[in-house]
Amino acid sequence: MNWLELVGWAGSALLVWSLLQTRILRLRALNLLGCLILIGYNAAVHVWPMVGLNVVLAVINVWYLRKMLATRHDAQTYEVVEVGTGDAFLAHTLRVHAADIARFNPDFRWDPAAADRSAFLVVRADEVVGVVVSHAEAGGVAQIDLDYVTPPFRDFTPGEFVYRRSRLFTDRGFRRVVSPRGMVAPYYHRLGFRPEGDAYVLDLPATT
């Protein structure tokens, strides 16, 4: 097997591996890379139908990647829906993703009867992409108990739409938002939170 065949096999393996990804952004990026490798390989061995196929697939991937990257911080694409802590659909979402939630938020314990809790679903059209649950603490602090992103959107930060709409907290009299302690791979430094001990803190604007 010469080096050119190795390139072809590597491109094919990358294409297959991309289809095993649960994160849609990563799937598209790896699929695009595999297509580009196979375009070069098939052009080198003069298999033009496969060149044409991979060119078309590459264009499709570029189109979807451009769309996803352009809307990843777009409030028109993602909507925050507040739900009651006793909401049946919230309970269903937490139950379906329980194992994954425990992986990234090992300290989270759900008690729908607990007082002073708020729950928000972040949705794209009719698809749930994230869940944020918080409770009130003394001194005007909103303590985030859960900030969870579903696997396909893990390369995004849909929770940001909850924190960007600060009135969700200030209208309840909160002055600070504190991230969950012990959360795996927190992203709050990208949203204006500052580190404080083993958590991140967001100081909210004063209400007028």
Side-chain angles (χ1 to χ4, degrees), residues 33-205:
L33 181 58
C35 289
L36 294 176
I37 292 173
L38 289 175
I39 288 170
Y41 169 75
N42 286 295
V45 297
H46 304 115
V47 183
W48 303 114
M50 295 304 296
V51 171
L53 172 63
N54 282 284
V55 167
V56 171
L57 293 176
V59 170
I60 291 172
N61 281 314
V62 168
W63 188 86
Y64 275 105
L65 280 168
R66 183 175 178 275
K67 183 178 179 181
M68 284 187 286
L69 292 173
T71 61
R72 66 187 306 176
H73 303 295
D74 183 10
Q76 300 300 316
T77 302
Y78 298 91
E79 185 176 354
V80 178
V81 179
E82 184 173 7
V83 295
T85 53
D87 183 83
F89 185 71
L90 171 64
H92 170 76
T93 302
L94 295 176
R95 184 171 60 254
V96 167
H97 297 284
D100 201 40
I101 288 172
R103 177 186 170 198
F104 289 93
N105 297 264
D107 296 332
F108 176 67
R109 300 293 181 271
W110 177 237
D111 179 7
D116 297 322
R117 280 206 174 185
S118 299
F120 306 95
L121 298 178
V122 184
V123 299
R124 189 183 73 165
D126 60 352
E127 181 178 13
V128 175
V129 302
V131 183
V132 174
V133 177
S134 68
H135 73 269
E137 290 194 347
V141 173
Q143 173 64 56
I144 304 300
D145 301 306
L146 173 66
D147 187 339
Y148 174 71
V149 180
T150 57
F153 294 89
R154 195 145 293 153
D155 291 319
F156 303 87
T157 56
E160 72 178 277
F161 298 102
V162 176
Y163 309 120
R164 277 168 51 179
R165 290 175 53 182
S166 61
R167 295 195 70 87
L168 292 172
F169 297 102
T170 56
D171 285 352
R172 293 170 170 80
F174 293 116
R175 299 196 298 271
R176 305 174 83 202
V177 179
V178 180
S179 73
R181 290 169 174 81
M183 180 179 176
V184 176
Y187 62 95
Y188 298 98
H189 58 285
R190 289 184 270 166
L191 302 181
F193 283 68
R194 56 182 172 79
E196 187 174 286
D198 59 349
Y200 290 83
V201 174
L202 177 66
D203 294 309
L204 299 173

